[in-house]
Amino acid sequence: MEATVHRLVDALARDSASRLVAALARRLGAGRIAVAEDAVQHALVQALSLWPFKGVPDRPEAWLATVARNRALDLLRSEARGVLLAEELVPTAPANVESEGRFDRELNDDELALLFAVCHPALSPEMRVTFALKAVCGLTVPQIAAGLLGEPTTIAQRLVRARKQLEASNVAIETPPPDVLADRAEAVRTALFLMFNEGYSASSGEALVQPEFCVEAVRLARALALHPVTRSPASDALAALLALTAARLPTRVGPDGVAQLLEDQPRALWDRSLIALGLAHLERSARGRDLTVWHLRAEIAAVHALAPSTAETDWARIVAIYDQLRTVDPSPVVALARAVALGRARGPAEGLAALPAPDGNPYSHAATAIFLTELGRTDEARGHFEKARDLARTEPERRLLERRLRS
Amino acid sequence: MAQFLLMLHQAPNYNSDLPREKMMEMTRKYIAWADGLRQKGQMVGGEKLTASGGRQLRSSGGKLVASDGPYAEAKDVIGGYFVLEAKDLAEAEALTRDCPHMALAPGNWAEIRPIEDMNKVRAAAG
């Protein structure tokens, strides 16, 4: 009996809330996504307050749906515009309630439509990430602000602007028509990649990683790769990239709160099931002729995931993939990563020569310092370690550089 | 066995700002706690109280004066109560320690009050 309650509430937590927001938002229109969010939040608060006293209702999903629907009507009454809401607002039951996996939730059509709407090209990339975290993933403004290097008020204002923009652009919450589907799906993939990066290398603060951003990004990328509308080699490649990279999350920061370089990470702690998941998507991504940036990035992640150690990593292969990636993405981030790989493949002198000018980037300074140390130029290295430490964006990274300086 | 009134104090609407996942996690813990006690026969009953919309009555100068209260703006209201069955205060406290209410929000607290056992009172009176 108790186990049933647990599974039920877990399923509600994972599925029903997002599905309800999506179902309500789709019926209310893009301008009222906030109303849908508030109404569902209200229903959850009610459930939390009442269920412990009275037990779980017979049909909890229907209970939540009714409370949310009534709340939405209440909220809209003040708007004076009448809205017709169907009596039946119960979200379709998830396909696999029994599944325990955090990453195994499929998106229903309502949720996919909402994801497309909040990642609409009318919105700036950071608006898309923020909006998706709020509306699709159900994170709160303070949580998003903590992860995105922003004040809660800034995040709240960004959300308001995003909602207004959607309304002004007359964006409907629906699956895009076939002629623009490919472009719109790419906008969603880019937003999920940014969301993941924010989680994987937090831009500031005490925590280097924001695991919930990563979990949500992997979950959505996987759902995108599995949904009939968005299923494609590019979506599979993105899911592979995010799952393979997320596998390394447990070792990004050591138990002492100090960031760990790839070579210092205990690979036994990497998440084997995520690696398996990523490899399965990578295999699926090879069906068809597409070779996207996601394929290239995923392949690099796979080389790392499968190597027994940094010394035994196929760095030449990684350099070759970065060479390909550089032709489509000439950003300094890619140049930096390529130079680091080159240094591992052909020695620190070549790595150093290939590094882009540091330009206030802590990672460039750190890479420069490491190559200089390996070349025995420790005096020059020190200056770069100091700059990297002063520019470090998170506490665990600053501690790592501090330790290098003391050694 | 004796009965204890467990009053849950809180700021009104304290949990409206929790993220969805967190909210459902707390719900799960809460239900597990209450159901566990129910199954052991130690949960006599309980009710959720609304945070506002109540009335308070006092006698003043021989007259009954009614006022609204508590208000939704109040800092501390009784959000709900349970009646527990336990062998003594120590056990009632131990059961309450497992209640997730206190972990939900910083201002939350619980008050345990033994319920007078009228049989014992009568027996003592002879």
Side-chain angles (χ1 to χ4, degrees):
Chain A
M1 153 70 199
E2 196 174 312
T4 319
V5 170
H6 276 218
R7 238 194 349 263
L8 179 99
V9 178
D10 281 348
L12 287 174
R14 274 209 313 272
D15 305 343
S16 297
S18 319
R19 285 173 203 276
L20 269 176
V21 170
L24 260 179
R26 204 173 180 181
R27 283 156 185 81
L28 295 173
R32 298 204 192 86
I33 292 175
V35 173
E37 287 170 5
D38 289 351
V40 172
Q41 185 72 2
H42 174 82
L44 289 173
V45 171
Q46 291 296 312
L48 173 56
S49 318
L50 289 173
W51 293 1
F53 291 91
K54 293 286 137 201
V56 183
D58 287 341
R59 295 177 59 219
E61 291 205 11
W63 190 97
L64 284 176
T66 307
V67 174
R69 175 181 161 278
N70 290 342
R71 178 64 170 187
L73 289 175
D74 268 356
L75 291 170
L76 290 171
R77 209 154 281 152
S78 54
E79 263 189 37
R81 274 184 285 180
V83 173
L84 221 58
L85 271 183
E87 284 293 328
E88 259 325 280
L89 202 67
V90 182
T92 48
N96 47 357
V97 182
E98 296 299 318
S99 164
E100 300 290 326
R102 299 183 286 174
F103 305 110
D104 273 354
R105 253 204 51 205
E106 289 167 24
L107 286 177
N108 70 12
D109 294 343
D110 285 340
E111 288 174 295
L112 184 70
L114 184 60
L115 183 60
F116 268 117
V118 299
C119 295
H120 195 273
L123 306 176
S124 70
E126 70 261 29
M127 271 183 185
R128 292 176 213 168
V129 173
T130 311
F131 211 171
L133 286 168
K134 181 75 169 66
V136 184
C137 308
L139 300 182
T140 60
V141 167
Q143 251 185 331
I144 298 170
L148 287 187
L149 172 68
E151 288 297 314
T153 46
T154 318
I155 299 294
Q157 282 161 3
R158 186 183 296 164
L159 285 167
V160 170
R161 280 203 311 277
R163 287 188 194 109
K164 282 192 182 142
Q165 212 141 316
L166 276 197
E167 204 174 11
S169 314
N170 254 328
V171 173
I173 301 183
E174 63 184 19
T175 305
D179 57 319
V180 293
L181 182 64
D183 282 350
R184 295 284 305 277
E186 185 64 11
V188 173
R189 284 189 289 267
T190 308
L192 296 183
F193 181 61
L194 289 177
M195 182 192 290
F196 184 89
N197 276 346
E198 277 302 334
Y200 197 68
S201 312
S203 345
S204 72
E206 181 56 37
L208 177 62
V209 290
Q210 300 283 341
E212 62 271 79
F213 285 19
C214 294
V215 169
E216 285 298 318
V218 172
R219 175 177 78 76
L220 292 173
R222 234 175 98 62
L224 207 63
L226 296 175
H227 196 284
V229 172
T230 45
R231 194 159 55 196
S232 70
S235 294
D236 267 313
L238 177 74
L241 165 65
L242 301 194
L244 289 168
T245 315
R248 310 205 299 257
L249 272 174
T251 59
R252 291 268 291 158
V253 179
D256 49 2
V258 179
Q260 297 191 116
L261 297 175
L262 190 59
E263 63 217 51
D264 299 327
Q265 297 180 9
R267 292 179 181 225
L269 297 180
W270 287 359
D271 190 326
R272 292 289 132 194
S273 59
L274 270 175
I275 291 177
L277 197 71
L279 293 176
H281 280 291
L282 192 62
E283 201 183 314
R284 281 167 47 110
S285 78
R287 298 174 193 170
R289 301 228 298 273
D290 291 1
L291 184 66
T292 63
V293 288
W294 311 119
H295 285 84
L296 296 173
R297 291 177 188 279
E299 205 183 333
I300 295 169
V303 173
H304 283 307
L306 293 172
S309 67
T310 16
E312 292 162 275
T313 300
D314 189 350
W315 290 105
R317 170 104 201 92
I318 292 181
V319 172
I321 305 169
Y322 273 124
D323 283 338
Q324 265 183 292
L325 188 56
R326 203 160 55 144
T327 59
V328 274
D329 179 2
S331 67
V333 183
V334 172
L336 171 60
R338 180 185 165 276
V340 170
L342 194 69
R344 294 280 175 245
R346 294 190 224 148
E350 291 208 32
L352 189 60
L355 275 175
D359 259 349
N361 179 322
Y363 304 111
S364 287
H365 279 293
T368 309
I370 289 169
F371 284 147
L372 286 171
T373 308
E374 286 171 6
L375 290 166
R377 294 155 64 181
T378 42
D379 285 351
E380 291 167 78
R382 193 173 175 80
H384 285 286
F385 271 131
E386 281 169 357
K387 282 212 186 80
R389 177 201 55 195
D390 297 343
L391 291 165
R393 291 167 191 165
T394 66
E395 269 308 300
E397 288 171 334
R398 205 187 55 71
R399 288 190 206 117
L400 169 68
L401 292 156
E402 196 64 55
R403 180 187 287 175
R404 290 294 292 242
L405 274 166
R406 270 187 273 114
S407 65
Chain B
M1 290 300 257
Q3 294 196 339
F4 296 85
L5 176 66
L6 171 57
M7 288 180 280
L8 303 174
H9 291 257
Q10 63 187 57
N13 308 321
Y14 63 97
N15 52 7
S16 55
D17 226 24
L18 286 176
R20 278 179 227 157
E21 289 276 343
K22 181 87 184 142
M23 174 123 10
M24 295 313 273
E25 186 197 323
M26 291 313 298
T27 308
R28 184 166 58 74
K29 283 189 185 159
Y30 225 133
I31 292 169
W33 176 80
D35 274 5
L37 289 181
R38 232 166 253 141
Q39 273 158 38
K40 287 193 289 175
Q42 292 191 282
M43 173 69 73
V44 181
E47 293 290 347
K48 170 88 187 92
L49 305 178
T50 60
S52 59
R55 293 286 269 176
Q56 299 176 339
L57 295 170
R58 276 187 189 79
S59 174
S60 172
K63 270 194 294 190
L64 273 185
V65 180
S67 59
D68 289 339
Y71 296 96
E73 297 77 37
K75 292 269 187 298
D76 186 275
V77 299
I78 296 174
Y81 69 88
F82 291 104
V83 175
L84 307 181
E85 193 144 307
K87 67 175 192 297
D88 52 23
L89 184 62
E91 195 198 11
E93 182 185 325
L95 297 176
T96 304
R97 278 179 181 274
D98 295 333
C99 177
H101 176 75
M102 282 73 72
L104 252 177
N108 284 11
W109 61 288
E111 183 177 1
I112 308 166
R113 301 284 300 274
I115 295 176
E116 282 280 15
D117 184 335
M118 289 317 286
N119 292 327
K120 275 189 197 151
V121 174
R122 264 186 229 114

